Amino acid sequence: QVHLVESGGGLVQAGGSLRLSCEASGSFVSINNMAWHRRAPGKSREVVAQITGENSLNYADSVKGRFTIARDNGRNTVYLQMSSLKPEDTAVYYCSAHVTLPGNYQYTSWGQGTQVTVSS
């Protein structure tokens, strides 16, 4: 089992910044792709940013130039630096990690989510 725990959410005014963290723990051989997703009220979940094991990055068009994803493999942690926040960024943010377990079993683990609220 691999557990992901997010932190860093909260309430911020429009134009402000927040940094989300997501730490993985458990018994795994490696962490491959990691990503941040969000689900806004009344909307479907969407991918916000992705980072591969080789540090290739991909962002949703709505956050390009404002959000930055990064990972610290030594800490098994992925970060999402969010700047120039807008009210439409309000959502529950989730991290995910595609992991390899002993025996080469692979699956995607999800965090419990952290609320980000941007006031206008």
Side-chain angles (χ1 to χ4, degrees):
Q1 283 283 1
V2 177
H3 297 282
L4 301 181
V5 178
E6 299 107 333
S7 60
L11 173 64
V12 64
Q13 288 188 329
S17 299
L18 282 175
R19 189 177 82 154
L20 306 182
S21 300
C22 172
E23 182 177 5
S25 62
S27 298
F28 49 86
V29 174
S30 63
I31 302 175
N32 310 310
N33 296 350
M34 305 184 82
W36 286 96
H37 313 252
R38 67 186 181 188
R39 186 191 300 272
K43 295 186 178 181
S44 301
R45 189 177 64 201
E46 62 173 343
V47 178
V48 174
Q50 297 172 307
I51 183 168
T52 69
E54 296 76 33
N55 284 327
S56 293
L57 310 178
N58 190 39
Y59 296 96
D61 288 342
S62 59
V63 306
K64 282 181 180 177
R66 300 189 298 121
F67 290 11
T68 301
I69 189 171
R71 62 192 290 170
D72 182 337
N73 293 327
R75 297 178 184 270
N76 297 321
T77 299
V78 62
Y79 304 97
L80 186 67
Q81 178 67 48
M82 305 184 293
S83 303
S84 302
L85 283 161
K86 305 175 182 180
E88 51 264 43
D89 294 318
T90 295
V92 178
Y93 284 72
Y94 302 87
C95 68
S96 69
H98 188 75
V99 300
T100 301
L101 304 181
N104 205 35
Y105 177 70
Q106 299 185 8
Y107 82 108
T108 299
S109 181
W110 290 84
Q112 81 287 351
T114 185
Q115 176 70 46
V116 172
T117 303
V118 184
S119 63
S120 57

